[in-house]
């Protein structure tokens, strides 16, 4: 099992999201998180925007990982949003982004934050995984595929 699957629930997998730019895409992600937590949408958006100001979370190949640590959050959460149309996100390869895998963790959960980000980067670097995330049409199927993915872990 991977760390992401413990943080991702079906209501947080949203396909064909309409967004006309990075801020609007982050607003959509904040709305998804607000619907599944006790945190307010403005606070979540501010957290995600503050992280983007440090540098784009666009990875390349059409993928971004907007994330942040949020004061007052009790439990880490993840969301996957697939945009209806790709948007400019400041990715290093210059390609627009269509897939956002977003993560929020409690302010002091540094180790968990780094572990999940590491696994996400590994998962999203696999071309077959990205292709499936781009083409699956049902949120439940996408969630099951993410849950079944196994990271490569170093030998102890």
């Amino acid at each position: 099992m991977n760390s992401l699957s413990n943080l991702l629930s079906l209501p947080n997998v949203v396909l064909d999201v309409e967004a006309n730019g990075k801020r609007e895409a982050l607003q959509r992600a904040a709305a998804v998180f607000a619907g599944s937590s006790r945190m307010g949408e403005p606070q979540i958006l501010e957290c995600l925007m503050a992280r983007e100001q440090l540098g784009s979370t666009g990875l390349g190949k059409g993928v971004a990982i907007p994330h942040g640590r949020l004061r007052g959050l009790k439990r880490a959460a993840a969301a996957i949003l697939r945009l209806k149309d790709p948007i400019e996100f400041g990715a290093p390869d210059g390609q627009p982004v269509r897939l956002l895998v977003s993560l929020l963790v409690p302010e002091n959960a540094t180790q968990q934050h780094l572990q999940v980000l590491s696994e996400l980067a590994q998962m999203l670097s696999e071309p077959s995984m990205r292709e499936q995330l781009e083409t699956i049409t049902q949120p439940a199927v996408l969630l099951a595929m993410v849950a079944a993915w196994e990271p490569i872990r170093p030998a102890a």
Side-chain angles (χ1 to χ4, degrees):
M1 180 176 279
N2 61 67
S3 299
L4 179 63
S5 63
N6 293 324
L7 308 178
L8 187 62
S9 62
L10 187 57
N12 286 18
V13 178
V14 187
L15 307 179
D16 297 323
V17 174
E18 293 195 23
N20 292 318
K22 182 190 277 194
R23 182 176 180 82
E24 194 171 340
L26 294 175
Q27 284 175 316
R28 301 286 186 258
V32 169
F33 282 124
S36 64
S37 75
R38 296 178 190 252
M39 305 303 291
E41 187 177 327
Q43 185 180 9
I44 296 168
L45 177 60
E46 182 181 324
C47 173
L48 295 174
M49 291 296 295
R51 172 55 189 87
E52 287 300 318
Q53 290 175 356
L54 297 174
S56 176
T57 57
L59 294 181
K61 304 205 184 288
V63 177
I65 305 177
H67 60 279
R69 293 190 300 207
L70 190 58
R71 180 187 315 245
L73 187 67
K74 301 292 183 206
R75 182 180 177 279
I80 295 178
L81 287 82
R82 190 170 67 209
L83 303 177
K84 185 174 180 178
D85 299 305
I87 60 169
E88 172 55 40
F89 217 89
D93 64 0
Q95 290 186 23
V97 164
R98 185 162 181 242
L99 183 67
L100 281 76
V101 182
S102 194
L103 174 67
L104 289 178
V105 297
E107 186 176 39
N108 296 324
T110 303
Q111 186 58 38
Q112 180 186 28
H113 190 185
L114 295 175
Q115 178 182 348
V116 175
L117 286 175
S118 173
E119 286 185 13
L120 273 175
Q122 189 182 134
M123 180 179 77
L124 296 169
S125 70
E126 295 180 12
S128 63
M129 186 65 153
R130 281 194 316 274
E131 182 180 330
Q132 290 178 62
L133 291 170
E134 286 281 336
T135 58
I136 289 175
T137 59
Q138 297 175 8
V141 175
L142 191 147
L143 180 64
M145 188 209 48
V146 168
W149 179 81
E150 287 292 332
I152 299 170
R153 293 193 170 93

